[in-house]
Amino acid sequence: MASHHAGARRDQAVRAAVEQGLLSPTDPSGQIVALLDTAGIRASAAALVSAFAAVTDAPVLHAFAVKACPLVPVLRLLHDCGLGAEVASPGELALARAAGVPPSRTVLDSPAKTPAELRQALALGVAVNADNMQELARIDALVASAPTASPVGLRVNPQIGAGTIGALSTATATSKFGVALRDEGAREAVVQAYLDRPWMRRLHTHTGSQGIPLALMAEGVAAAHELAEEINAKAGRQQIDTLDIGGGLPVNFASDEETPTYAEYAGLLAATAPGLLDGRYGLVTEFGRSLLAKHGTILARVEYTKTSGARPIAVTHAGVQVATRTVYDPVSWPLRVLAYDSEGRPRGGEEIVQDVAGPACFTGDMLTTARPLPLLRPDDIVAVPDTGAYYFAHHYAYNSLPRPAVHGFTADDEGAIAFSTVREAQNLDEIVAEAGGDRADALLS
């Protein structure tokens, strides 16, 4: 039912984007826009909170992974829904602060934190997950020189294996993240690190991401829980009181159905590591893609249509600049493409196998190839759903193509759509400025 409503809202929003001039053949910034379904985002946040509330009475901080959609209004909306922020750079921390997310609801993760980053986080009271023993030594010195209210933990890699996308698998034998628990002497070193630092109260792991099965995610969390129990037993008290179990719930890109669900994952955790949820441990989660992906849609005009090798090709204004992962790795990141006419109505008719291409000047700039769709025509609109995370918010400036405008939308009971601008479209002056336009003579001296 929820996916049906989401699809209906999307259809209404496409039509409204045309009627209200957000997508227009005569406006230079109206060739491509991105839409965010506010109601859908709120529903996903509520589903996450309720799923974990159903399996534990302990406090849970759901810290949205800012990397998934680094837009301040999005972070503010999620904060309003009761979520915090997980940040992995000074830029992401600045975005979270601009959105009003308090330090007490912010978590800093990164494998390459500088002393300045650590000093700022500890001064603010942001939770810090150290990635390795060298970083932990830096934190020791900083804590000794200036006491902090920041909760501190250490990230461990349970080394339990990879999913279907190697580049996103964080718990392999040679992952760059965390302390590798199965390496010789590593587990003992981690235990001793905690015993030497009675003020260190958190433990962090992150196994999930796209392509990682839920069972493997749960296995990684269970390994961290087992380690926490060992440390607490050797400390003779509950030194570790909070486990940061990361995020990484996979997303279904094949249809509007939202699977797997947070409730399924929380239930699996309850079965796999029941002691984690008995109330003794607070939790932190770091979900990103699963909160936003299904609620974002790229809309782009079809500029030309032609035939090559007897196969129709629709050339659109959406390509590598907004769908970078799909263009460079279409097998791992296939996206759906939906066809609408020039007035924003779903296009019907016989489906014809055709390509949908982007505007960039290289052959591989394709949204999809050999896809059955109603035959597209110039000035039609293609919609690319499931792009609310790691797509249009992460602009890739190939060919100096501009960043598209991003608009949130809401629908009233009669289906009327109201838009609010999240980010303005980038103009040509801004492109020139980013390219050193005020330093044109810099290399002539």
Side-chain angles (χ1 to χ4, degrees):
M1 184 66 69
S3 61
H4 170 74
H5 291 322
R9 287 197 303 270
R10 181 179 58 232
D11 287 347
Q12 294 164 355
V14 175
R15 183 71 180 271
V18 176
E19 293 175 344
Q20 297 184 36
L22 301 185
L23 200 65
S24 166
T26 60
D27 183 349
S29 66
Q31 313 307 308
I32 175 173
V33 297
L35 304 181
L36 284 168
D37 180 355
T38 302
I41 296 171
R42 286 190 179 277
S44 284
L48 172 58
V49 172
S50 64
F52 278 80
V55 296
T56 182
D57 294 327
V60 183
L61 169 61
H62 297 291
F64 173 70
V66 173
K67 65 181 75 67
C69 190
L71 297 171
V72 170
V74 169
L75 306 184
R76 185 61 168 263
L77 172 62
L78 292 171
H79 174 48
D80 188 64
C81 294
L83 275 59
E86 182 266 337
V87 301
S89 71
E92 289 184 356
L93 177 56
L95 295 178
R97 298 186 73 189
V101 181
S104 62
R105 299 186 64 77
T106 304
V107 180
L108 174 63
D109 293 317
S110 164
K113 306 180 199 71
T114 66
E117 288 175 64
L118 290 169
R119 188 177 298 109
Q120 180 191 27
L122 294 171
L124 289 171
V126 168
V128 175
N129 288 319
D131 180 79
N132 55 71
M133 295 300 187
Q134 292 176 3
E135 182 183 341
L136 202 52
R138 283 183 175 177
I139 293 173
D140 286 342
L142 291 169
V143 169
S145 64
T148 178
S150 293
V152 176
L154 178 65
R155 179 169 180 169
V156 295
N157 169 17
Q159 295 175 291
I160 57 175
T164 60
I165 304 176
L168 297 188
S169 297
T170 59
T172 62
T174 56
S175 170
K176 75 176 187 178
F177 293 106
V179 178
L181 281 182
R182 297 184 182 181
D183 282 12
E184 185 176 357
R187 188 182 189 94
E188 293 78 6
V190 168
V191 172
Q192 191 60 50
Y194 277 88
L195 298 180
D196 291 342
R197 298 168 178 84
W199 44 267
M200 194 158 66
R201 308 296 297 272
R202 291 191 175 186
L203 181 65
H204 175 44
T205 194
H206 174 79
T207 300
S209 197
Q210 194 68 19
I212 305 293
L214 295 192
L216 195 64
M217 291 175 60
E219 184 182 343
V221 172
H225 172 248
E226 180 182 346
L227 177 61
E229 294 279 84
E230 179 182 343
I231 292 168
N232 287 342
K234 290 187 176 178
R237 63 189 181 93
Q238 187 168 357
Q239 176 174 339
I240 296 178
D241 58 21
T242 302
L243 267 76
D244 183 334
I245 63 173
L249 194 75
V251 168
N252 164 35
F253 287 96
S255 74
D256 281 339
E257 187 177 6
E258 294 187 40
T259 57
T261 66
Y262 293 118
E264 289 170 340
Y265 180 49
L268 182 59
L269 286 178
T272 306
L276 174 66
L277 304 171
D278 63 9
R280 291 179 297 127
Y281 290 99
L283 295 179
V284 177
T285 73
E286 300 176 356
F287 295 101
R289 179 184 294 107
S290 54
L291 282 161
L292 261 293
K294 304 298 288 184
H295 311 306
T297 303
I298 296 166
L299 306 182
R301 288 184 53 252
V302 176
E303 193 66 50
Y304 300 110
T305 57
K306 55 186 177 181
T307 301
S308 183
R311 190 157 74 200
I313 302 173
V315 181
T316 80
H317 289 274
V320 72
Q321 84 277 29
V322 288
T324 313
R325 292 187 178 202
T326 292
V327 168
Y328 284 123
D329 189 2
V331 174
S332 298
W333 300 102
L335 287 171
R336 294 180 289 152
V337 176
L338 309 176
Y340 295 80
D341 66 19
S342 60
E343 296 182 357
R345 297 171 300 198
R347 180 168 285 293
E350 179 186 1
E351 291 192 339
I352 305 296
V353 172
Q354 56 197 298
D355 295 347
V356 181
C361 289
F362 71 99
T363 300
D365 186 31
M366 308 294 291
L367 288 176
T368 189
T369 57
R371 180 75 60 89
L373 289 167
L375 188 63
L376 291 163
R377 304 167 188 172
D379 289 329
D380 276 359
I381 296 162
V382 295
V384 189
D386 308 331
T387 48
Y390 298 107
Y391 277 93
F392 55 73
H394 300 71
H395 186 72
Y396 177 44
Y398 198 102
N399 281 151
S400 296
L401 293 164
R403 286 188 296 271
V406 179
H407 303 280
F409 70 88
T410 56
D412 64 20
D413 293 339
E414 283 71 46
I417 298 292
F419 292 104
S420 56
T421 301
V422 172
R423 182 185 69 192
E424 296 280 1
Q426 187 182 30
N427 61 45
L428 297 183
D429 288 341
E430 290 168 330
I431 292 175
V432 172
E434 285 190 359
D438 61 342
R439 297 177 174 83
D441 296 332
L443 303 180
L444 300 182
S445 57

